[in-house]
Amino acid sequence: MPCRLNFKILKLSSYNPGLPSVLHSMDSSAIASNIKHHAEFTPLFSPEHFSPLKAYHATAKSVLDALLINWNATYDYYNKMNVKQAYYLSMEFLQGRALTNAIGSLELTGEYAEALKQLGQKLEDVASQEPDAALGNGGLGRLASCFLDSMATLNYPAWGYGLRYKYGLFKQLITKDGQEEIAEDWLEMGYPWEIVRNDVSYPVKFYGKVVEGTDCRKHWIGGENIKAVAHDVPIPGYKTRTTNNLRLWSTTVPAQDFDLGAFNAGDHTKAYEAHLNAEKICHVLYPGDESSEGKVLRLKQQYTLCSASLQDIIARFESRAGDSLNWEDFPSKVAVQMNDTHPTLCIPELMRILIDVKGLSWNEAWSITERTVAYTNHTVLPEALEKWSLDIMQKLLPRHVEIIETIDEELMNNIVSKYGTTDTSLLKKKLKEMRILDNVDLPSSIAQLFVKPKEKKESTAKSNKKLLVKSLETIDEVEEKTELEEEEAEVISETEEENNEFEEVEAEEEDSKDELDPFVKSDPELPRVVQMANLCVVGGHSVNGVAEIHSEIVKQDVFNSFYEMWPSKFQNKTNGVTPRRWIRFCNPQLSTIISKWIGTDDWVLNADKLGELKKFADNEDLHSEWRAAKMVNKMKVVSLIREKTGYIVNPDAMFDVQVKRIHEYKRQLLNILGIVYRYKKMKEMSAEERVKSFVPRVCIFGGKAFATYIQAKRIVKFITDVAATVNHDSDIGDLLKVVFVPDYNVSVAEALIPASELSQHISTAGMEASGTSNMKFAMNGCILIGTLDGANVEIREEVGEENFFLFGAEAHEIAGLRKERAQGKFVPDPRFEEVKQFVRSGVFGTYNYNELMGSLEGNEGYGRADYFLVGKDFPSYIECQEKVDKAYRDQKVWTRMSILNTAGSSKFSSDRTIHEYAKDVWDISPVILP
């Protein structure tokens, strides 16, 4: 029930709202007064009731008071010291809730809980009112947010840059038809953590044309102009004053662009057209791009992020440099990290600004750009290595295409210099692999290298002359050859001579054209594209993968030719996650136990200390406490599942979890088919046999399928259909439950991960770059079942092979297995055929699963032939699951494995990763505020 604050008796004498810097040292009563102050004087709601939602906003503003002082002090000190600063550009930042993280970083969780209690509220209820900021979707955005946390905690001068999506990706609903999507509403009640910087805005241009001015510079004129406006969100470090910044851009146009005349004439759509075109850029994360309009919108998003951020970075550099401005100093003051290929346009945009606006030469600008920019690769999937239509980019960003064309030509010259022209087959191979512009005519300077020598055809005149000489020779008049030739020459008129000369030249030219290798020309049947990943590699000084196995694939496969040319560019930076959010704040029960047994809470800042748990791995008292903490977290998830799905699950069952973006390579399909097989075997047994043969399980799924990814949405539908059947089967009861938690996000993860006992990371080997949820699960004492893919490889090494359930083909086998499949040599396991037949029997409803099952069959064809090797790995998977059951039956063994997973997870702190980036890529040092 909402309570009512008695504002008439509110006494603010104990709190000076003008001095929020003392908040961190205030007791709970003073904090309560501060919250009351904001409830009354910064109102967003009617004054009648002090509801949990109103309490959340007032509490958030109270916390922001404390953050603002440190935030401003951090910014001012960076300016004063003119430090080198890193800028992390990402299309996603999956922040999660800010309140619990902020008060935890300020070490005020207890004080705020007590203050809210004094006001008739519970901290947990108030915190739950905060919607997750809908600024990301999956691992890419969550990684970026973990990195921001570590940057601030470790006192590194670094900012994040992103876009402020009004409607996020989408809010996921689960209905009888599977997944449905509606717009996110996270901004509808306001976002108390952001400050709009109306004085910080930059122009961003699209379309138009390029002209050369009287100053001999290129000028991009005309077109469509919008304005990017800064919204700042504080990023507090843990136990430090350092408070960094996440700057998000919204897009609009000036008021004068509203067509008042059209509006008054009744053409309301036209009147608002300019505003709509600008504002829709930041409406949705990853808008559908099957239409040309969708492609243009995505490209606009990417360019807006790059252009606004770089203009802001450059303005800060110029301001700090003052009268001593020297552009050669730019790379020693600025490091720009591109998180995947989305911010690739940073490269041509920085070149454009330096050349066209600041007046630098091409060579000067290029030297600065490649020493400033670095690239993190996050995928080996071809479809995720972005390729933009050159025609679309030419229209939208004409100046950038000119710059990219020049970069591409210089790259080709470098390739020719390295590989020479003797082996043209090798040269063609390298140009094809490495060019930025694909299916685009080679420039003439390169094309001429691929002209085949050809014997020229003789002209008619020359041919007739030779025939005449030959006939003269046959009648023994060779001695008169010269005279006859002269007579013949007289016969040929001057006009004929000119025509013959023209004929010879024309023939030579025609011969030359005919001999151009088809390789030099584009194929009109194929699209012309800009390969963004290649541009990233060429334009940056560093390229890194995000796990050891992934970085090797990047070097040996994805970018092998670039690695041969620039081996020093390539390095590995295994991902990490912040132990603050992912143990300390989301799992306080486990945090307390860890600190008790190792004798300190220093592990929150120095994760290596988690390793000290190993010496207690067999201690029965620790085992007892460990299991009790797990049960507390499982009970929370029981309530969550009932609230979100209506299903009631048994907390004594094993909680088996797979939560991640729905994608075929992540193989949720393998998981659910394994569950179906388990269910089928249960149905074939008596009740006594079931209990003896199977450990009770609650199998939990979560994750979003992109709205246009039909196969992924079929998988969601399949999971929910299986759940509807299994969960209502009275014969099975609590032995097996299947749950799909809708609208998976950070807050849901913060509940599920501490409660998990088994977590599935079962992607096709060689296809997952790293994964970060696997790290979070291991940190929380969850045991992993998985393939040797991504960071699984390193997690298994760190926690111990015996504490990881391994199955499946390995990365080096995948290509050969696919080849065998194409040759018709694959023989499916009978158990795999059995489970597919069971699905097709209709036991899970009337939905037609032929398309889904058909993707696992056949030897070739689009959407066929089991590209992700579900059938190949299925026998290994279900046999591994039998080992899981056996281990779980012995809770002493299982608990020991759980403890050793937490103890072995220290490597996977994002603090370690950020230290490596700072040292090896950005060349920045910690800056501690005085």
Side-chain angles (χ1 to χ4, degrees):
M1 292 292 292
C3 65
R4 180 173 179 129
L5 279 180
N6 187 350
F7 289 111
K8 293 182 180 179
I9 62 172
L10 176 63
K11 294 183 180 180
L12 297 175
S13 58
S14 63
Y15 170 65
N16 181 349
L19 296 173
S21 60
V22 300
L23 186 63
H24 69 276
S25 61
M26 295 170 69
D27 60 23
S28 58
S29 296
I31 291 173
S33 293
N34 182 236
I35 294 172
K36 287 181 180 180
H37 167 81
H38 283 292
E40 182 173 9
F41 294 110
T42 54
L44 293 170
F45 304 91
S46 60
E48 284 79 12
H49 297 288
F50 191 58
S51 65
L53 182 59
K54 184 174 183 177
Y56 158 67
H57 280 268
T59 303
K61 289 299 184 183
S62 170
V63 177
L64 194 61
D65 282 346
L67 296 181
L68 271 169
I69 297 301
N70 293 337
W71 199 7
N72 291 336
T74 304
Y75 183 82
D76 291 342
Y77 194 63
Y78 290 170
N79 273 352
K80 177 183 176 183
M81 301 305 293
N82 192 16
V83 297
K84 182 174 184 180
Q85 190 163 332
Y87 299 98
Y88 198 83
L89 272 66
S90 178
M91 287 298 285
E92 296 186 42
F93 286 94
L94 204 56
Q95 289 289 95
R97 290 170 175 160
L99 178 57
T100 51
N101 191 73
I103 60 177
S105 295
L106 292 167
E107 298 182 273
L108 289 172
T109 302
E111 288 82 350
Y112 267 91
E114 178 59 30
L116 286 166
K117 184 177 180 181
Q118 293 174 23
L119 298 174
Q121 299 287 346
K122 292 181 179 179
L123 174 58
E124 186 175 338
D125 295 338
V126 170
S128 69
Q129 300 300 310
E130 179 178 359
D132 279 33
L135 299 171
N137 175 42
L140 186 77
R142 188 51 241 170
L143 176 75
S145 294
C146 282
F147 280 2
L148 292 184
D149 175 89
S150 286
M151 292 169 191
T153 296
L154 301 175
N155 300 297
Y156 283 115
W159 280 20
Y161 279 103
L163 296 181
R164 183 180 180 269
Y165 304 106
K166 185 174 182 180
Y167 301 115
L169 180 72
F170 58 81
K171 180 178 286 188
Q172 182 191 54
L173 303 179
I174 299 298
T175 70
K176 62 180 179 60
D177 297 317
Q179 172 183 293
E180 294 184 9
E181 306 88 22
I182 61 173
E184 287 272 12
D185 58 358
W186 72 287
L187 288 173
E188 284 194 358
M189 302 301 290
Y191 188 57
W193 301 102
E194 70 177 359
I195 293 180
V196 185
R197 309 290 189 186
N198 288 310
D199 59 330
V200 180
S201 64
Y202 297 96
V204 179
K205 180 185 289 293
F206 306 109
Y207 303 110
K209 62 181 180 180
V210 180
V211 299
E212 187 168 325
T214 55
D215 56 0
C216 296
R217 293 187 193 177
K218 293 290 184 75
H219 295 270
W220 183 16
I221 62 173
E224 174 186 320
N225 298 283
I226 66 164
K227 181 172 69 171
V229 180
H231 298 245
D232 288 350
V233 179
I235 307 295
Y238 180 74
K239 288 190 176 182
T240 177
R241 290 183 62 206
T242 299
T243 305
N244 285 335
N245 195 41
L246 170 59
R247 178 156 285 178
L248 305 170
W249 301 106
S250 66
T251 45
T252 186
V253 292
Q256 59 262 30
D257 285 8
F258 181 78
D259 192 337
L260 195 58
F263 188 85
N264 288 330
D267 194 346
H268 302 153
T269 301
K270 180 182 177 183
Y272 190 67
E273 185 176 12
H275 282 80
L276 177 61
N277 284 336
E279 291 171 4
K280 72 181 180 182
I281 292 172
C282 292
H283 273 172
V284 175
L285 168 65
Y286 303 138
D289 61 355
E290 293 188 344
S291 66
S292 59
E293 292 83 3
K295 291 181 175 65
V296 168
L297 186 56
R298 279 211 190 188
L299 193 55
K300 280 185 171 184
Q301 287 185 332
Q302 295 186 3
Y303 180 61
T304 297
L305 170 64
C306 295
S307 181
S309 302
L310 282 172
Q311 289 182 71
D312 193 44
I313 291 166
I314 288 170
R316 190 170 303 110
F317 168 75
E318 291 177 314
S319 174
R320 290 178 180 178
D323 295 336
S324 59
L325 177 65
N326 181 353
W327 285 104
E328 187 60 27
D329 294 336
F330 191 78
S332 66
K333 296 296 181 182
V334 171
V336 173
Q337 188 70 35
M338 300 182 295
N339 191 30
D340 217 349
T341 52
H342 307 124
T344 305
L345 289 167
C346 279
I347 294 167
E349 175 67 359
L350 183 54
M351 290 290 289
R352 182 191 71 83
I353 294 172
L354 292 176
I355 295 171
D356 298 354
V357 180
K358 305 303 177 182
L360 276 65
S361 70
W362 175 274
N363 289 339
E364 289 171 330
W366 182 248
S367 173
I368 290 168
T369 298
E370 66 176 351
R371 285 181 291 143
T372 299
V373 176
Y375 163 52
T376 298
N377 172 271
H378 282 280
T379 184
V380 299
L381 297 177
E383 66 268 25
L385 294 172
E386 290 185 300
K387 297 181 180 181
W388 281 107
S389 162
L390 179 61
D391 295 331
I392 289 176
M393 191 177 288
Q394 180 78 59
K395 294 175 184 176
L396 193 69
L397 304 169
R399 178 59 177 137
H400 297 75
V401 169
E402 290 184 350
I403 292 169
I404 291 169
E405 287 172 341
T406 305
I407 296 172
D408 189 48
E409 186 166 356
E410 293 200 354
L411 168 64
M412 287 187 282
N413 289 331
N414 288 336
I415 294 170
V416 171
S417 296
K418 178 173 177 63
Y419 294 102
T421 57
T422 303
D423 188 343
T424 55
S425 295
L426 175 63
L427 185 57
K428 284 195 288 187
K429 178 178 181 291
K430 295 301 179 182
L431 288 171
K432 177 64 177 175
E433 290 176 352
M434 299 175 72
R435 279 198 72 183
I436 297 165
L437 301 178
D438 186 41
N439 194 38
V440 175
D441 291 355
L442 292 176
S444 58
S445 61
I446 304 296
Q448 67 183 1
L449 302 175
F450 298 96
V451 177
K452 295 179 182 178
K454 181 178 179 182
E455 186 177 344
K456 298 174 183 176
K457 296 178 181 178
E458 294 180 309
S459 66
T460 303
K462 285 185 177 180
S463 179
N464 289 340
K465 185 187 293 184
K466 285 189 175 183
L467 286 172
L468 179 58
V469 170
K470 185 70 175 176
S471 64
L472 290 173
E473 288 174 344
T474 59
I475 58 176
D476 298 321
E477 293 181 32
V478 175
E479 70 279 0
E480 298 178 9
K481 180 170 61 177
T482 302
E483 292 179 11
L484 289 172
E485 286 175 344
E486 290 174 356
E487 290 176 7
E488 180 214 3
E490 290 174 1
V491 173
I492 300 172
S493 69
E494 290 182 5
T495 303
E496 287 175 325
E497 287 180 354
E498 290 174 1
N499 288 340
N500 287 334
E501 288 173 5
F502 177 75
E503 180 186 300
E504 291 173 20
V505 172
E506 189 177 51
E508 288 175 5
E509 289 180 351
E510 187 63 33
D511 286 347
S512 176
K513 287 180 182 178
D514 289 343
E515 290 307 310
L516 277 177
D517 192 309
F519 171 75
V520 309
K521 304 294 288 182
S522 62
D523 184 341
E525 300 299 317
L526 297 175
R528 302 187 305 157
V529 296
V530 184
Q531 302 189 99
M532 305 302 271
N534 288 11
L535 178 55
C536 285
V537 176
V538 175
H541 66 88
S542 171
V543 179
N544 72 275
V546 290
E548 288 175 1
I549 186 175
H550 170 240
S551 294
E552 285 303 307
I553 292 171
V554 164
K555 291 190 294 186
Q556 304 304 328
D557 184 10
V558 182
F559 297 124
N560 180 249
S561 292
F562 290 102
Y563 177 62
E564 287 181 1
M565 180 168 282
W566 299 302
S568 61
K569 276 192 181 189
F570 290 81
Q571 53 184 292
N572 175 58
K573 293 288 172 280
T574 298
N575 283 342
V577 300
T578 168
R580 269 76 61 186
R581 181 179 288 272
W582 292 111
I583 310 182
R584 180 68 161 186
F585 303 147
C586 79
N587 198 346
Q589 290 80 15
L590 184 62
S591 297
T592 300
I593 292 170
I594 293 171
S595 297
K596 171 188 172 182
W597 282 85
I598 69 176
T600 178
D601 64 358
D602 290 350
W603 59 269
V604 182
L605 289 170
N606 180 7
D608 287 345
K609 289 188 174 293
L610 290 172
E612 295 181 21
L613 285 170
K614 292 177 182 178
K615 60 189 177 185
F616 305 113
D618 293 306
N619 188 290
E620 292 185 5
D621 291 335
L622 175 57
H623 280 213
S624 178
E625 293 177 21
W626 201 267
R627 286 195 290 267
K630 184 66 72 174
M631 181 54 70
V632 169
N633 291 318
K634 289 174 74 175
M635 290 302 298
K636 293 178 182 177
V637 169
V638 169
S639 298
L640 175 74
I641 290 173
R642 186 169 188 174
E643 174 193 341
K644 298 281 187 181
T645 70
Y647 291 135
I648 299 172
V649 300
N650 181 8
D652 292 323
M654 179 202 299
F655 280 19
D656 171 355
V657 179
Q658 187 180 21
V659 283
K660 51 185 79 241
R661 178 166 55 94
I662 309 297
H663 197 291
E664 288 169 277
Y665 89 83
K666 294 179 184 286
R667 299 204 296 191
Q668 286 91 351
L669 184 55
L670 175 60
N671 185 352
I672 192 62
L673 286 174
I675 292 168
V676 168
Y677 182 80
R678 188 181 187 91
Y679 175 64
K680 183 177 186 296
K681 293 301 150 185
M682 285 182 176
K683 293 292 288 181
E684 293 169 356
M685 296 178 179
S686 67
E688 293 77 14
E689 289 174 325
R690 288 181 202 126
V691 173
K692 183 179 178 180
S693 301
F694 294 101
V695 165
R697 287 205 199 191
V698 178
C699 300
I700 303 171
F701 293 83
K704 295 179 179 180
F706 278 113
T708 55
Y709 191 175
I710 303 302
Q711 193 74 326
K713 294 180 78 169
R714 287 189 183 120
I715 293 170
V716 173
K717 168 66 173 166
F718 183 35
I719 294 168
T720 58
D721 281 353
V722 172
T725 298
V726 171
N727 296 350
H728 293 97
D729 190 327
S730 58
D731 291 341
I732 303 304
D734 285 341
L735 263 183
L736 183 63
K737 297 292 184 185
V738 182
V739 176
F740 193 102
V741 179
D743 204 37
Y744 178 69
N745 57 21
V746 176
S747 296
V748 173
E750 289 173 339
L752 288 179
I753 290 173
S756 301
E757 293 169 287
L758 180 74
S759 181
Q760 307 221 20
H761 303 272
I762 57 177
S763 52
T764 311
M767 302 199 74
E768 184 74 84
S770 168
T772 51
S773 66
N774 45 7
M775 302 171 184
K776 297 163 195 167
F777 282 102
M779 278 186 174
N780 282 272
C782 180
I783 301 163
L784 274 55
I785 180 172
T787 53
L788 284 178
D789 195 26
N792 284 359
V793 177
E794 293 162 76
I795 291 173
R796 183 169 176 261
E797 290 172 356
E798 295 296 318
V799 305
E801 295 180 3
E802 69 279 9
N803 301 309
F804 184 106
F805 293 104
L806 178 67
F807 76 95
E810 297 184 24
H812 67 272
E813 301 176 284
I814 301 302
L817 290 169
R818 287 179 178 145
K819 184 177 180 180
E820 285 183 11
R821 182 73 182 235
Q823 294 170 343
K825 296 179 180 178
F826 173 69
V827 179
D829 187 279
R831 291 166 292 184
F832 186 57
E833 295 300 288
E834 179 185 348
V835 78
K836 287 189 298 174
Q837 184 177 353
F838 188 57
V839 171
R840 283 180 163 135
S841 71
V843 67
F844 299 116
T846 58
Y847 187 84
N848 187 342
Y849 282 108
N850 283 333
E851 287 287 342
L852 190 59
M853 295 300 104
S855 71
L856 308 175
E857 298 170 337
N859 297 323
E860 59 183 359
Y862 179 77
R864 301 275 294 173
D866 193 12
Y867 183 78
F868 301 98
L869 277 68
V870 173
K872 171 64 181 176
D873 282 350
F874 185 78
S876 174
Y877 176 69
I878 59 174
E879 288 160 12
C880 191
Q881 288 285 12
E882 292 172 3
K883 296 176 184 176
V884 171
D885 274 12
K886 180 180 179 180
Y888 193 77
R889 289 186 187 278
D890 188 336
Q891 279 295 294
K892 184 176 180 180
V893 169
W894 189 272
T895 305
R896 185 179 190 276
M897 294 172 71
S898 175
I899 293 168
L900 290 173
N901 265 263
T902 298
S905 64
S906 61
K907 174 181 177 179
F908 306 104
S909 167
S910 51
D911 294 350
R912 185 264 316 153
T913 316
I914 288 302
H915 276 312
E916 292 178 3
Y917 272 106
K919 177 178 178 289
D920 302 334
V921 181
W922 304 332
D923 190 27
I924 61 174
S925 302
V927 176
I928 300 175
L929 273 63

